[in-house]
Amino acid sequence: MNTHFLKFLTLPIVTVLFISVAGAVSLTVQYKTYGVPDHRREEYAKKVQVIREREKVLSGEISTADLPKAVIASKTHDFGMIDPHITATHDFTIRNEGNGPLALKVNGTSCKCTVGRLANDYLAPGEETTITMEWNTGYQADHYEQTAIIQTNDPLQKEITLTVEGEVRAQLVAPETIGLKAEKLGDLASGEFVLFSQLWSDFTVMSITGEGTDADLNWDVTPIENDDIELADKQSRSAVRVKLSLPHHRYGEFNGKFNVVVRPGDGTDDITREVNFTGKVRRPISFVSPQLDMVEGLRMGMMSVGEESIWHLIVQVRGAEGRKIEVLDVEPKIIQAEIQPTSREGNYRLTLKIPADCPSTIFNLDHQRGYVQVGDPDDKEFMNWFPVLGAVVNTSR
């Protein structure tokens, strides 16, 4: 047979086969909805079906003459404040105000501690039933909220969410963190806080201990009335104010934690609450100037050889009585520093001078910076300092 004739005959056959196979494939391939993971496709399909049924009902395509209608007066119940470790229940009432039978099913709750029960899962038109939600409080002290999902055959309400909420009375409420204040080195770092119970009619603070502070920690407890302004809206049944103090032996910020052991008045076991504390002991000497940056210090900038440059700062000293305040050290040594008391108690005037005969000097590099230190020469702890950055250069070259 002619080769050209065979090629001519084969081409249409292959084309027909290709079209047939492609058509068969197109009939069997199901395209997945973009963005929906495989494990949620069934859920997605149900929601799409509900939307389509609603659209048909609302557009009149499906008559409402024989459809059920689920009605609940309130879908949320607030238990308010309740005791811990009890079982709380509430009955929701659901009515069928439609013309067809209403089918109901509990389709899960938000946690294992919550149970939903239906008194009747099938309602004729005009009938009603109760859905009981039962919840075990445990010892949770925060606001709680639990839900149950009710599945129906009402095309406009395929799922109804019922919610119970409220708060569990706390055994003992303590602040997470308190602040301690110490004005100067040697002062006691002092502070106070309130402990209260929403459950006990009384309790006793047995001990307060801290990290390495037990020997020097002082504390005092005073009962306070439940109508005290600090307890407003706290639902307190008993409360105390705790005042405590401890010495602090260094400047700067400090922190730690206390353990407070409390014995309930109802005879149950002691409980412990951890309270963090923070504080700061300010240095006895501080410096004030518009040119002074809190972090980088005094920026003198670029200065020319042969020109005198002068800066003035105010030095504020706390607890200066009986002390001799001097410039303890300066770097580079070319900086001339002089300090004099002012008419205001505790304030001094600090003058820094770069003399005209100063040679070229750089003190603004990371490895080569200057500073000024001021304090009491007889007390090494009673001092403070600040950086100075600048450079003296010869601009005539």
Side-chain angles (χ1 to χ4, degrees):
M1 185 179 291
N2 190 298
T3 304
H4 292 290
F5 178 75
L6 285 174
K7 290 182 180 179
F8 180 77
L9 183 61
T10 303
L11 182 60
I13 294 174
V14 171
T15 303
V16 170
L17 288 174
F18 177 79
I19 294 173
S20 300
V21 171
V25 170
S26 66
L27 290 174
T28 57
V29 172
Q30 295 182 349
Y31 292 97
K32 296 182 179 181
T33 306
Y34 179 77
V36 180
D38 290 341
H39 69 281
R40 300 197 64 183
R41 292 195 181 279
E42 183 178 353
E43 175 188 354
Y44 172 81
K46 289 181 179 178
K47 289 184 177 181
V48 171
Q49 182 63 27
V50 169
I51 293 172
R52 288 174 178 170
E53 288 183 11
R54 286 178 180 175
E55 290 176 349
K56 290 179 180 180
V57 172
L58 294 173
S59 65
E61 186 177 341
I62 296 179
S63 172
T64 59
D66 299 321
L67 294 179
K69 182 180 180 181
V71 176
I72 297 181
S74 176
K75 299 177 183 179
T76 300
H77 176 72
D78 189 345
F79 283 115
M81 186 75 74
I82 56 179
D83 286 346
H85 216 58
I86 65 170
T87 298
T89 62
H90 176 73
D91 291 338
F92 293 92
T93 300
I94 184 169
R95 300 188 308 277
N96 181 8
E97 295 187 359
N99 297 316
L102 178 66
L104 303 170
K105 178 184 178 182
V106 178
N107 200 26
T109 58
S110 54
C111 81
K112 294 180 180 178
C113 59
T114 306
V115 178
R117 294 194 302 271
L118 272 167
N120 188 359
D121 60 4
Y122 188 86
L123 300 180
E127 289 186 338
E128 66 180 34
T129 189
T130 57
I131 303 166
T132 301
M133 283 191 66
E134 182 179 287
W135 182 69
N136 188 284
T137 61
Y139 279 100
Q140 174 178 336
D142 298 329
H143 176 85
Y144 66 83
E145 182 177 293
Q146 303 296 340
T147 60
I149 305 298
I150 308 302
Q151 186 176 347
T152 82
N153 64 332
D154 180 347
L156 297 181
Q157 287 193 95
K158 284 289 188 179
E159 287 186 347
I160 299 173
T161 301
L162 303 179
T163 303
V164 292
E165 60 184 358
E167 291 185 30
V168 179
R169 288 189 176 91
Q171 292 176 307
L172 184 69
V173 179
E176 182 178 340
T177 303
I178 64 169
L180 302 182
K181 295 181 180 179
E183 288 298 320
K184 60 181 183 292
L185 196 66
D187 285 354
L188 291 175
S190 303
E192 62 179 51
F193 60 94
V194 170
L195 288 173
F196 68 92
S197 174
Q198 296 173 332
L199 186 63
W200 308 320
S201 58
D202 70 283
F203 61 89
T204 303
V205 177
M206 303 302 295
S207 66
I208 301 179
T209 56
E211 298 175 332
T213 63
D214 299 359
D216 300 321
L217 176 63
N218 299 309
W219 56 276
D220 181 66
V221 176
T222 305
I224 58 176
E225 298 298 325
N226 292 322
D227 58 359
D228 189 281
I229 188 66
E230 292 186 71
L231 298 172
D233 301 324
K234 302 296 186 183
Q235 303 291 327
S236 170
R237 289 183 176 175
S238 58
V240 299
R241 178 175 286 105
V242 179
K243 295 183 178 181
L244 46 79
S245 60
L246 72 159
H248 203 70
H249 306 292
R250 61 181 176 84
Y251 295 113
E253 296 180 353
F254 60 90
N255 58 73
K257 58 186 176 183
F258 301 121
N259 286 317
V260 183
V261 179
V262 169
R263 178 161 297 171
D266 61 5
T268 54
D269 294 339
D270 294 355
I271 66 171
T272 301
R273 288 288 183 270
E274 185 178 274
V275 179
N276 297 301
F277 67 85
T278 62
K280 181 178 182 179
V281 178
R282 295 189 298 172
R283 285 194 170 273
I285 299 175
S286 58
F287 306 97
V288 180
S289 171
Q291 289 82 34
L292 188 64
D293 183 89
M294 294 293 291
V295 177
E296 295 187 349
L298 180 66
R299 286 188 170 274
M300 294 182 170
M302 300 289 288
M303 296 162 284
S304 298
V305 171
E307 296 181 5
E308 183 180 79
S309 301
I310 298 177
W311 288 265
H312 298 289
L313 299 90
I314 295 297
V315 180
Q316 297 178 336
V317 182
R318 291 178 293 278
E321 299 84 359
R323 291 185 179 274
K324 181 170 57 175
I325 303 302
E326 299 179 355
V327 175
L328 301 179
D329 196 8
V330 62
E331 188 68 37
K333 303 305 181 185
I334 58 157
I335 299 177
Q336 299 175 2
E338 181 182 352
I339 188 168
Q340 296 291 336
T342 67
S343 58
R344 186 172 182 177
E345 185 177 355
N347 280 12
Y348 295 78
R349 183 180 179 88
L350 176 63
T351 301
L352 303 179
K353 181 189 294 185
I354 303 293
D357 60 353
C358 175
S360 297
T361 307
I362 295 177
F363 49 98
N364 59 6
L365 304 176
D366 289 341
H367 64 282
Q368 187 178 351
R369 295 195 174 197
Y371 62 87
V372 176
Q373 185 184 52
V374 175
D376 183 347
D378 298 324
D379 186 349
K380 293 182 179 180
E381 293 290 337
F382 201 89
M383 69 88 187
N384 201 1
W385 67 280
F386 62 91
V388 290
L389 293 86
V392 180
V393 297
N394 191 343
T395 59
S396 61
R397 295 180 181 176

